[in-house]
Amino acid sequence: MALIWYRWLSRSFQSQSVSRALSTLKGDSSQQIIKSPPLLSLDLPDIWTSNSMHYDPLDIDKYSNESRARVIDGKLMAEKVTTGIAGEVIRMQEAIGMVPGLAVILVGQRKDSETYVRNKRKACEESGINFWLTKLPGTCTEHEIHEALSSYNENPSVHGILVQLPLPRHLDEEKILNALSLEKDVDGFHPLNMGNLAMTGREPLFIPCTPKGCVELLLRSDVEIMGKKAVVIGRSNIVGLPVSLLLQRHHATVSTVHALSKNPDQVTRQADIVITAAGVPNLVRGTWLKLGAVVIDVGTYPVKDPDSRCGYRLIGDVCYEEAVKVASAITPVPGGVGPMTIAMLLANTLESAKRAYSFS
């Protein structure tokens, strides 16, 4: 009897559930479909204003280190990495008669982009990696870029392709990067590479070069990452987002600060590791830092300097003169992240070639 009663009750509930679902589909006003709110756009520009820049008026010397911070020499570390890559290229050439190849597409005449590409060409030549360059005017169409990409995608001698960013505003960066062969995306910006970096149990084919370089600098400086509090300043697809994901891969507790963050100085002051890529000169003052923090400064900004041979000098996001009194270790600008970024690009290109030729 109990079994019969249970079956009747079960069928009754199922029937009621079906009726409710049908009434919802028919537009019954008493049964409304609940939708999730739309995602907010991430396309708000990170424009740092005086409201988002909080500078503690405390005297920095009152709580500064007894000695200045150790300088993390990115140039020296990058040279060691590049020397190892050059040795692997020689070994590959001797074993199978092939060498890695890198192709770059440069659009427009931005001075900084031209400098970056020139440095990449030089690094390739020094390591024995073949280098191709396609230069297009700033007024070019997406079709012209796609043609260049297609040519490099199909060329078996090219193992790495990068489109030098940023692109002119009339071009759709997303469409262009999506057209790049995943197996040759040595910049690591393809959505599948970024997605795999973010997901547990997945591995990207390539990690973006600047974030990879930042973490490499920490590891080579014997900085412990696991379990440490890290703050990333900036959330761009090129640096901020992937470096946050990469730090999480190394089991840091990661916070992101951007132009809309409340009290960014207070958030940053909690960090054992600070990686800043906001592109705002001297944004991070000494009072933003916890005593003994490790600082990786990705920012580069030219300022006029009549004493310099080229008429300007580069400074970063961090007020270096103040930060060295508080931090335990810090990267200089220039000579910090930049050289290691190029070294990681060469490493990714070598890895791509090894994968293509099944060479180990």
Side-chain angles (χ1 to χ4, degrees), residues 111-309:
K111 294 296 183 184
D112 55 347
S113 292
E114 289 177 341
T115 299
Y116 298 149
V117 170
R118 186 164 56 249
N119 290 340
K120 289 166 184 173
R121 179 196 287 271
K122 181 182 178 183
C124 283
E125 291 171 350
E126 290 175 350
S127 349
I129 294 175
N130 289 332
F131 185 87
W132 289 266
L133 174 62
T134 294
K135 296 182 71 172
L136 296 171
T139 55
C140 73
T141 64
E142 286 181 19
H143 177 70
E144 291 176 282
I145 299 177
H146 279 289
E147 281 191 332
L149 273 175
S150 179
S151 173
Y152 288 138
N153 280 340
E154 296 170 6
N155 187 340
S157 298
V158 174
H159 308 100
I161 308 169
L162 68 87
V163 179
Q164 186 65 45
L165 302 178
L167 293 170
R169 302 182 73 174
H170 72 281
L171 298 170
D172 189 327
E173 183 178 296
E174 181 182 353
K175 285 184 179 179
I176 290 169
L177 293 180
N178 283 346
L180 198 157
S181 169
L182 179 64
E183 292 77 15
K184 299 184 180 185
D185 174 37
V186 288
D187 246 348
F189 294 149
H190 193 285
L192 284 177
N193 273 323
M194 292 284 276
N196 285 334
L197 180 61
M199 296 179 69
T200 302
R202 303 287 185 91
E203 294 293 332
L205 286 178
F206 305 102
I207 296 171
C209 301
T210 299
K212 187 176 180 181
C214 291
V215 172
E216 189 73 19
L217 288 171
L218 293 173
L219 296 175
R220 287 175 176 265
S221 301
D222 296 322
V223 175
E224 186 177 356
I225 302 176
M226 183 181 294
K228 298 297 183 179
K229 291 182 180 179
V231 165
V232 176
I233 303 177
R235 52 180 177 174
S236 70
N237 290 339
I238 298 174
V239 182
L241 173 60
V243 83
S244 296
L245 297 173
L246 192 54
L247 285 168
Q248 289 185 66
R249 283 281 184 135
H250 285 268
H251 309 293
T253 302
V254 184
S255 300
T256 301
V257 168
H258 49 81
L260 301 179
S261 298
K262 299 288 180 65
N263 302 320
D265 56 330
Q266 294 179 21
V267 177
T268 306
R269 203 178 296 134
Q270 314 253 337
D272 304 299
I273 299 168
V274 176
I275 298 181
T276 175
V280 180
N282 290 332
L283 171 69
V284 180
R285 308 300 291 263
T287 51
W288 281 42
L289 303 173
K290 183 172 81 171
L291 189 63
V294 177
V295 181
I296 305 294
D297 190 352
V298 182
T300 54
Y301 189 86
V303 293
K304 291 182 179 179
D305 184 358
D307 296 329
S308 174
R309 184 180 62 182

